[in-house]
Amino acid sequence: TIVIKKATQTIDTTEVKNNFVYNNSPCVVKGASAINAISYEYYDSEDNLLLDAPTKAGTYKVKVIGAESDNYNKTEKVLVLTIDKATYDMSGVTFDDMTYTYTGTPYTLVLNGTSPTNVVATFTNNNQINAGVYEVVASFTIPDSDNYYQIDDMVAVLTIEKATQTIKEKSINYSLSNPDETITNNSGFQIKGEDIKLITEQDLTHT
């Protein structure tokens, strides 16, 4: 009696793509080949069989199966399937340095451009009044941290320069009877000295 046993078929997975980036669509594995028909089974990280190809970011297993036939045994090969987190597109968003002059009202830096849907920015050290240099940080809250990487903070510099103060003095005829006497205007600017006899109208500026 001659017994011819079924052969073991080889599954070629060199053309299989098993690394994906999340795009909210099922990540279907294909490209394997064998003598007989190929099918695929998907499992989660705890080896639970999935009904469909996975969609969410994570690590999975995919079982590549070569079907049994009259002359070949069923053959299986297990691959690791990885779906990496996606990155929010912030290419159209900028956070620019700005310089203003003190006016007594608050200055605030803002993002320029359009952020991805439902991404919310919060600011630290923004909304300043007094002269100075302030490092403002924009941080982001994202709606889907399971499938997207966190957005990096953005940093910009808010500079508020000192204002220039202008003081107007009208013409004054004044003879000092007391050399220590002073004249003080409503801005607090003082004129003092025994040699001053006539002050003509002028712009006196200081910062």
Side-chain angles (χ1 to χ4, degrees):
T1 301
I2 299 175
V3 177
I4 302 176
K5 296 181 178 181
K6 290 184 178 182
T8 299
Q9 59 187 317
T10 299
I11 299 175
D12 183 2
T13 58
T14 55
E15 299 298 320
V16 170
K17 177 184 177 182
N18 57 328
N19 294 308
F20 299 85
V21 175
Y22 173 78
N23 65 358
N24 199 30
S25 298
C27 296
V28 177
V29 173
K30 55 187 177 180
S33 61
I35 296 295
N36 295 329
I38 290 289
S39 61
Y40 302 89
E41 292 180 352
Y42 300 92
Y43 297 81
D44 64 17
S45 58
E46 297 178 352
D47 291 331
N48 297 308
L49 178 63
L50 303 176
L51 296 178
D52 297 298
T55 298
K56 296 184 179 296
T59 301
Y60 304 86
K61 292 179 182 177
V62 56
K63 184 183 291 184
V64 185
I65 304 169
E68 185 178 8
S69 65
D70 291 341
N71 294 312
Y72 289 90
N73 289 314
K74 176 182 177 180
T75 303
E76 300 177 350
K77 187 173 185 178
V78 176
L79 303 176
V80 174
L81 168 60
T82 301
I83 304 176
D84 195 10
K85 289 184 177 183
T87 302
Y88 282 105
D89 183 7
M90 297 289 287
S91 60
V93 179
T94 60
F95 193 38
D96 301 322
D97 299 341
M98 295 296 293
T99 299
Y100 301 96
T101 301
Y102 172 81
T103 62
T105 58
Y107 289 107
T108 301
L109 296 185
V110 297
L111 293 172
N112 299 306
T114 303
S115 299
T117 302
N118 295 327
V119 170
V120 178
T122 56
F123 300 90
T124 303
N125 209 32
N126 211 359
N127 197 41
Q128 300 292 340
I129 295 176
N130 295 321
V133 178
Y134 305 93
E135 185 176 84
V136 182
V137 179
S139 302
F140 301 92
T141 301
I142 61 176
D144 186 1
S145 58
D146 291 334
N147 295 302
Y148 286 88
Y149 286 111
Q150 176 61 41
I151 299 171
D152 291 337
D153 291 348
M154 292 184 175
V155 179
V157 176
L158 168 61
T159 302
I160 303 176
E161 297 178 339
K162 291 182 178 181
T164 299
Q165 187 175 189
T166 300
I167 303 171
K168 293 281 190 178
E169 296 293 345
K170 292 184 177 180
S171 296
I172 300 174
N173 288 314
Y174 181 71
S175 295
L176 287 172
S177 59
N178 182 352
D180 294 325
E181 192 173 356
T182 63
I183 302 172
T184 303
N185 74 348
N186 57 8
S187 297
F189 185 78
Q190 292 186 336
I191 302 172
K192 177 180 179 180
E194 58 185 345
D195 296 329
I196 299 176
K197 298 297 185 292
L198 177 65
I199 305 171
T200 58
E201 184 173 348
Q202 56 186 311
D203 287 341
L204 304 176
T205 63
H206 64 88
T207 57

